[in-house]
Amino acid sequence: MKRRRLRGLRPRLVVAFGLVAGVAAATTGALTFREARIGVLQQSQDAVIGQLRAQLNERAPELPYPPGESALRQLATDVAAADASGSRRVLVTYRELSASSVPGDRFPELTPAVRRAVASSGPPSSNG
């Protein structure tokens, strides 16, 4: 059986154009999906951070200064309880004191390097 090859310029150009169009469509689709995914994740993250800031602004005036470990534990528990899904874990620290919303949870994902980076970043600014 003879294999028929693409002879002539026109069939080759049609195949090349088809391949380029297919690759371009796949690339555009992948990039669009990526950007949409990033946008949704950013929007979700902004909503959670906004909710957390609102909760902290509401509860912070009630904290004694300087706060004790029991006050930090109560703040962590209150903030975690405000999450509708019930899956939020909260760690509150003040200088050398820390308290978690889940008793005994040491937050192992917070490595010493992360803790040093947070400690060296200084206090949060009030301009958001």
Side-chain angles (χ1 to χ4, degrees):
M1 181 177 200
K2 274 187 179 179
R3 287 178 40 177
R4 188 167 180 205
R5 295 183 183 204
L6 295 175
R7 296 184 189 261
L9 183 59
R10 181 178 291 175
R12 288 185 211 162
L13 285 175
V14 168
V15 169
F17 179 76
L19 288 174
V20 168
V23 169
T27 303
T28 302
L31 291 174
T32 302
F33 172 78
R34 181 176 171 256
E35 289 301 315
R37 180 177 175 266
I38 289 172
V40 168
L41 290 174
Q42 185 67 46
Q43 188 177 24
S44 298
Q45 182 181 2
D46 291 347
V48 169
I49 289 173
Q51 180 186 22
L52 179 62
R53 282 186 175 162
Q55 290 174 9
L56 292 176
N57 285 337
E58 180 181 316
R59 290 175 173 82
E62 302 166 4
L63 278 177
Y65 183 80
E69 191 171 341
S70 62
L72 294 178
R73 187 177 304 108
Q74 186 62 47
L75 177 62
T77 303
D78 290 348
V79 171
D83 181 33
S85 69
S87 63
R88 185 177 291 168
R89 295 167 44 225
V90 178
L91 176 68
V92 179
T93 62
Y94 176 76
R95 300 192 181 197
E96 301 301 319
L97 295 175
S98 67
S100 170
S101 59
V102 179
D105 189 352
R106 304 311 299 163
F107 280 80
E109 57 269 73
L110 295 178
T111 63
V114 171
R115 292 178 188 264
R116 281 192 303 275
V118 170
S120 68
S121 69
S125 64
S126 59
N127 16 355

